[in-house]
Amino acid sequence: MQDYLSQLNDSQKSPTIHKDGPVMVIAGAGSGKTRVLTFRIAYLMEQGVDPFSILALTFTNKAAKEMKERIGSIVGESNAKALWMGTFHSIFARILRSEADFLGYSSNFSIYDTQDSERLISSIIKEYKLDKDLYKYRNIRNRISSLKNNLVTVKAYHNNQELVQQDKESRRPMFGKIYQTYVNRCFKASAMDFDDLLLKTNELLNRFPEVLNKYQQRFKYIHVDEYQDTNHSQYLIVKALADKFENICVVGDDAQSIYGFRGANIENILSFQKDYPNSTVYRLEQNYRSTQNIVNAANSVINKNLNKLDKKVWTDNEIGDKIEVNQTITDSEEGRFVASSIFEAKYNLQLRNDEFAVLYRTNAQSRSIEDALRRKNIPFQIFGGLSFYQRKEIKDVLAYLRLIVNPSDEESLKRIINYPPRGIGQTTLEKIQIFSNENNLTIFDIVENINNSDININNGTKQKLFDFVNMIKSFQIANENLNALEILNEVLKRVGVVNLLKNEGTPESISRIENIEELINAVQDFIDGQKELVDSNGSLNEFLEDVALISDLDKDIEKSEPKVSLMTIHLAKGLEFSNVYIVGLEEDLFPSALSSTTRSDLEEERRLFYVALTRAKKKIILSHSKTRYRWGKLNDCEPSRFISEIDTQFIKYNNLLNTKIKFKKSSESRIRFKKPERKIPLKQITNNNYSSNSNSEYIDINQGDIILHNRFGKGEVVNTEGIGGDKKAEVNFEISGLKNILLKFAKYEKVH
């Protein structure tokens, strides 16, 4: 026993050996909270507590598995297996299967995932012949989910006139009927959705005192990990189970409560002492992860929050480097700065790729980072999602662009012929495909002449096919005189993909809109970059070729090869990296515009920034842009208030623009509703007035020189011609092939 307890410091040991009564462990980032929770459970078992009477609730299967394995190594695997340890949903599903008959369910009830739920709701909407634009199945499912997590049953909904009125005002008076039908259908099918696992457990414990008493007697010792992330429903279940013995131990960090958008309620951890007046509070304040500078900087930020528990995180680690702040002119340059910085650090300090992480507020921001890393041949992985050009909405839009350039591209055609929906079904497409194969014609050729074909398709569908072809042809004509950005904007305007996503109104659809916006920015960035090429006009063909090259680069990366990690800050929680880049630190982006309107939302954004800072072990580089493209228009940006909230003694400015970075005075009361007003139309950006592209004092290069280009990567100079500002160089790049560049606009460095 003493062997594992000796691994703990005094602060960690105290809650570990505290056997009886309510305990709250406030654990700062990197302070060893998982170790405390693990060793505490092992200690209880060595003190003679029956493992069957210990309940441990986590938020991930991974955390539960790792803790159980660690406990098993101390007390033996067979004892560890007797523990009730797992996620909230898995444990409550286990209870519900044992007690299913109380609620009228079979013990082998099905559990519907999100897709199952959406499919059922969609069919109900169809049965009632409701307007799909008003009754979007995803919106309906999200509302049902929210109601269930707040313990609002169908009966409670109908008794709450405020909720009913909300749906009437939203032009969805049938919502209550859909909710009722959905619940009835699930019950009939002996199925529960994920939200039911919480709702029905609450119902079980409230309606049947004998069941509550049974599990109160069984679970004499209850442990909850990441208590700050619990929602109202989870909180009530845990409280009910712990009411008899009050041997409850919760572990968490209020400073890392960042899931308010998912229903997490920070008040659960803040009011623990009110719920249990005789509780003991322990604080784990020693950080074992980060340098002193990082810890102190993070403290100086989180102290700006008013709604928090008192703690002072400290560390005995080395002082370490100050946090660096870099400003770039555009968001694309930000990506190139990050890639160059990683490239230099790797080779100067002999670091591995997996020692670096790039964190951002929204998924769309990954694009410029991805592109820049690819150009530098630095392998990376996207956590929690696909790389930018693999995302569905991006592939959909690119399919339109590819079809314009190449109408024979059948995969692109099949992808978007009925997206957005235009009444061309799968059966119709299959008929055309068969006819295509039999007559050795492309699908586009057939659709183009659909009125002259003998395919069994009704006239209404033929008209829709005809309209589709005419739309593509009109894009082809327009493409002859437009650059890649102009034709992309024309496609988006005519096709209506963005409006379709706007009407969905879900967090997922908003993220997809952000990605499409970022595609526009990518095209703009591409066009700006093409200015340095002698024989380029920024056409759609050139852009698609560039994208194809980019996509091809990903295939060459070995799966086992160490990679730079790219992820949103939400996904980074619980992880750590030696070197962390936090990008896009601008007002209205981080903190987000929607989160700056109330104190509670702003404080959650600040906690998110705190989480980002505390992921780093050795080095942090913060980055923001002076300007950022939004829907292809260049907007001025204001540095995030969070940068100015870091105590100046822990930070240094690496100003790339040689101008003083100005921060507006941080104010909690300041509410921002709109973007900066200055907008620069694209047509104003020319080679003459876009100074960031100009390199009047360029590094001279000659035949045989090896250069490293910001966009094209490494290449050998094959030939040069001209002198002074008109000098050109033909360069054979390893990835991009032969390019003819104007040196005065090119961004490169000479390797040797």
Side-chain angles (χ1 to χ4, degrees):
M1 179 176 72
Q2 294 302 318
D3 185 38
Y4 67 87
L5 289 181
S6 64
Q7 300 176 37
L8 304 173
N9 63 32
D10 290 341
S11 296
Q12 294 169 331
K13 190 174 179 180
S14 297
T16 301
I17 62 175
H18 186 129
K19 184 180 176 187
D20 296 315
V23 173
M24 179 167 66
V25 183
I26 304 300
S31 61
K33 69 174 179 67
T34 305
R35 173 177 286 193
V36 167
L37 202 54
T38 304
F39 286 5
R40 175 183 161 85
I41 293 169
Y43 178 80
L44 287 173
M45 292 166 72
E46 290 209 336
Q47 293 297 301
V49 176
D50 187 346
F52 283 97
S53 67
I54 298 173
L55 172 65
L57 297 166
T58 67
F59 275 88
T60 65
N61 287 312
K62 181 172 177 279
K65 184 173 178 253
E66 288 175 355
M67 284 170 62
K68 193 173 272 192
E69 285 175 355
R70 189 75 179 270
I71 293 166
S73 67
I74 299 171
V75 300
E77 281 187 30
S78 60
N79 281 326
K81 283 179 181 175
L83 288 165
W84 279 61
M85 177 179 280
T87 63
F88 284 87
H89 288 90
S90 67
I91 295 293
F92 297 163
R94 189 174 171 185
I95 292 173
L96 286 167
R97 290 200 187 281
S98 298
E99 316 299 337
D101 56 323
F102 281 93
L103 298 171
Y105 282 84
S106 158
S107 61
N108 62 345
F109 62 82
S110 301
I111 298 175
Y112 282 178
D113 61 17
T114 301
Q115 203 172 28
D116 295 326
S117 297
E118 287 180 349
R119 197 177 293 116
L120 174 54
I121 290 166
S122 182
S123 68
I124 293 168
I125 292 167
K126 192 174 180 181
E127 282 174 33
Y128 287 139
K129 297 183 170 64
L130 299 173
D131 187 337
K132 290 180 182 177
D133 288 333
L134 291 174
Y135 294 88
K136 296 183 181 299
Y137 65 87
R138 283 204 178 101
N139 292 2
I140 300 295
R141 193 205 73 83
N142 288 341
R143 180 137 172 89
I144 290 174
S145 175
S146 177
L147 290 171
K148 285 185 176 183
N149 281 316
N150 285 290
L151 306 180
V152 181
T153 60
V154 171
K155 186 178 178 181
Y157 170 83
H158 285 294
N159 289 336
N160 189 321
Q161 285 308 305
E162 188 180 340
L163 291 174
V164 173
Q165 189 59 32
Q166 282 175 5
D167 287 311
K168 282 182 180 175
E169 289 173 0
S170 301
R171 298 165 63 200
R172 294 186 303 198
M174 287 287 288
F175 171 80
K177 183 71 174 171
I178 297 170
Y179 188 9
Q180 176 76 69
T181 307
Y182 173 74
V183 168
N184 291 346
R185 293 279 175 85
C186 286
F187 184 74
K188 183 183 173 185
S190 194
M192 294 188 196
D193 61 24
F194 279 125
D195 302 308
D196 282 329
L197 298 178
L198 301 182
L199 180 69
K200 297 296 181 184
T201 303
N202 264 301
E203 185 184 340
L204 185 69
L205 300 180
N206 280 318
R207 283 180 55 198
F208 305 99
E210 64 271 38
V211 176
L212 174 61
N213 185 59
K214 173 184 175 180
Y215 287 98
Q216 284 178 336
Q217 290 288 351
R218 170 169 285 176
F219 301 134
K220 292 184 173 67
Y221 292 88
I222 297 172
H223 301 78
V224 185
D225 193 18
E226 305 286 7
Y227 192 62
Q228 78 280 351
D229 293 334
T230 52
N231 63 23
H232 183 59
S233 187
Q234 291 162 333
Y235 162 80
L236 289 177
I237 295 169
V238 170
K239 195 167 186 313
L241 291 172
D243 265 355
K244 193 173 188 71
F245 296 102
E246 291 197 344
N247 292 326
I248 179 171
C249 174
V250 303
V251 181
D253 182 6
D254 60 298
Q256 297 188 64
S257 178
I258 58 174
Y259 294 112
F261 66 95
R262 278 194 334 212
N265 187 357
I266 192 173
E267 288 301 320
N268 294 346
I269 194 168
L270 296 178
S271 36
F272 184 84
Q273 288 171 279
K274 291 179 185 174
D275 292 336
Y276 304 95
N278 62 331
S279 61
T280 306
V281 178
Y282 297 97
R283 288 174 170 79
L284 305 184
E285 296 176 319
Q286 184 175 358
N287 179 299
Y288 291 93
R289 176 185 297 155
S290 309
T291 64
Q292 289 183 31
N293 257 312
I294 291 172
V295 169
N296 292 335
N299 284 341
S300 70
V301 170
I302 204 63
N303 285 338
K304 302 291 190 300
N305 274 4
L306 300 180
N307 203 21
K308 64 181 189 299
L309 297 167
D310 290 333
K311 72 174 176 296
K312 179 71 176 176
V313 181
W314 59 278
T315 184
D316 271 340
N317 293 343
E318 62 180 340
I319 294 174
D321 296 336
K322 288 187 177 184
I323 292 174
E324 296 179 21
V325 180
N326 286 279
Q327 184 187 56
T328 56
I329 292 178
T330 68
D331 46 327
S332 295
E333 286 201 6
E334 179 181 54
R336 291 191 278 271
F337 157 72
V338 169
S340 296
S341 175
I342 292 173
F343 185 86
E344 288 172 16
K346 272 178 61 181
Y347 291 101
N348 291 341
L349 304 173
Q350 300 301 300
L351 302 176
R352 299 188 316 274
N353 290 317
D354 56 5
E355 294 181 75
F356 299 89
V358 185
L359 310 182
Y360 34 78
R361 182 65 180 82
T362 64
N363 269 308
Q365 292 170 256
S366 74
R367 196 275 310 169
S368 62
I369 310 296
E370 288 180 50
D371 284 358
L373 290 172
R374 287 188 187 98
R375 307 289 185 193
K376 293 283 187 186
N377 239 354
I378 300 172
F380 63 87
Q381 59 182 337
I382 306 279
F383 278 73
L386 299 166
S387 65
F388 184 79
Y389 292 105
Q390 295 304 311
R391 293 168 192 168
K392 179 189 178 301
E393 57 280 6
I394 300 303
K395 294 189 80 166
D396 289 338
V397 176
L398 288 177
Y400 274 99
L401 301 182
R402 289 195 177 103
L403 199 61
I404 293 168
V405 171
N406 176 19
S408 300
D409 184 343
E410 295 197 347
E411 290 309 308
S412 292
L413 186 146
K414 286 189 283 189
R415 185 178 187 95
I416 50 89
I417 193 167
N418 198 42
Y419 184 80
R422 50 177 64 91
I424 303 170
Q426 191 59 36
T427 305
T428 299
L429 195 55
E430 285 170 1
K431 288 178 181 177
I432 295 170
Q433 182 75 71
I434 292 167
F435 191 84
S436 162
N437 296 339
E438 289 173 351
N439 294 274
N440 199 26
L441 294 168
T442 69
I443 292 176
F444 192 88
D445 286 336
I446 295 164
V447 175
E448 191 176 13
N449 297 284
I450 196 68
N451 288 325
N452 301 323
S453 74
D454 55 359
I455 305 173
N456 185 22
I457 298 172
N458 65 55
N459 289 333
T461 305
K462 282 185 177 180
Q463 185 60 48
K464 290 165 185 172
L465 290 165
F466 184 74
D467 292 342
F468 172 76
V469 165
N470 278 347
M471 180 177 67
I472 300 299
K473 282 182 173 179
S474 70
F475 290 150
Q476 290 173 330
I477 294 166
N479 188 44
E480 292 173 7
N481 300 306
L482 300 178
N483 64 25
L485 182 66
E486 291 163 336
I487 193 65
L488 171 60
N489 283 328
E490 185 68 19
V491 168
L492 291 174
K493 183 179 172 183
R494 288 271 305 277
V495 170
V497 174
V498 175
N499 285 335
L500 184 73
L501 293 170
K502 276 182 182 174
N503 290 336
E504 284 185 15
T506 63
E508 293 82 5
S509 65
I510 292 167
S511 178
R512 287 177 176 170
I513 292 170
E514 288 171 347
N515 285 331
I516 292 173
E517 178 186 352
E518 189 55 37
L519 179 63
I520 295 171
N521 301 340
V523 177
Q524 177 63 70
D525 182 45
F526 168 78
I527 289 172
D528 287 340
Q530 294 300 95
K531 291 169 184 173
E532 62 189 76
L533 299 180
V534 177
D535 49 358
S536 171
N537 56 9
S539 69
L540 181 58
N541 295 49
E542 291 174 352
F543 173 71
L544 291 174
E545 184 183 320
D546 196 63
V547 170
L549 276 172
I550 285 170
S551 302
D552 193 57
L553 290 177
D554 291 336
K555 297 173 187 174
D556 298 330
I557 297 171
E558 297 271 339
K559 284 192 176 179
S560 59
E561 187 179 353
K563 302 176 185 69
V564 175
S565 297
L566 273 61
M567 68 190 82
T568 63
I569 302 165
H570 282 99
L571 287 173
K573 188 169 174 285
L575 304 177
E576 59 181 41
F577 304 91
S578 292
N579 305 277
V580 171
Y581 294 79
I582 307 171
V583 300
L585 275 163
E586 298 135 32
E587 288 291 304
D588 293 342
L589 185 54
F590 194 17
S592 76
L594 294 174
S595 301
S596 304
T597 57
T598 67
R599 178 181 294 281
S600 61
D601 287 343
L602 181 60
E603 290 202 348
E604 178 152 322
E605 286 287 291
R606 188 175 286 112
R607 291 194 294 271
L608 190 59
F609 184 55
Y610 175 83
V611 167
L613 291 173
T614 53
R615 298 312 93 201
K617 293 192 283 187
K618 295 194 178 290
K619 191 174 182 69
I620 296 175
I621 296 178
L622 309 179
S623 172
H624 67 98
S625 295
K626 194 175 181 183
T627 57
R628 187 171 290 271
Y629 281 110
R630 299 299 307 269
W631 297 105
K633 302 288 176 73
L634 200 63
N635 288 319
D636 288 340
C637 297
E638 182 184 326
S640 169
R641 70 189 75 187
F642 295 152
I643 300 176
S644 62
E645 289 177 358
I646 301 173
D647 195 306
T648 53
Q649 63 181 306
F650 309 123
I651 200 165
K652 72 172 183 177
Y653 296 100
N654 294 339
N655 194 355
L656 303 183
L657 304 181
N658 297 317
T659 57
K660 189 175 180 181
I661 300 174
K662 295 179 181 178
F663 297 93
K664 287 193 177 179
K665 188 177 179 182
S666 178
S667 170
E668 299 286 3
S669 62
R670 179 159 61 96
I671 298 176
R672 298 178 55 89
F673 291 103
K674 59 182 183 179
K675 307 288 181 200
E677 290 183 3
R678 183 184 167 205
K679 294 184 178 179
I680 305 174
L682 293 176
K683 62 183 72 174
Q684 293 181 7
I685 304 171
T686 66
N687 287 345
N688 293 327
N689 62 19
Y690 192 50
S691 59
S692 68
N693 269 359
S694 182
N695 184 16
S696 55
E697 297 181 5
Y698 62 84
I699 303 166
D700 195 24
I701 53 175
N702 296 292
Q703 186 177 349
D705 287 341
I706 305 296
I707 67 168
L708 196 62
H709 190 278
N710 269 359
R711 288 185 68 235
F712 306 127
K714 195 175 181 183
E716 181 181 353
V717 180
V718 177
N719 190 30
T720 63
E721 64 175 86
I723 56 171
D726 295 324
K727 189 168 183 178
K728 305 170 187 175
E730 195 175 14
V731 185
N732 190 16
F733 292 101
E734 290 178 358
I735 298 167
S736 308
L738 208 61
K739 302 283 184 185
N740 203 3
I741 61 175
L742 280 166
L743 297 192
K744 69 177 178 181
F745 296 120
K747 294 176 183 175
Y748 61 91
E749 56 187 85
K750 189 157 68 174
V751 180
H752 59 78

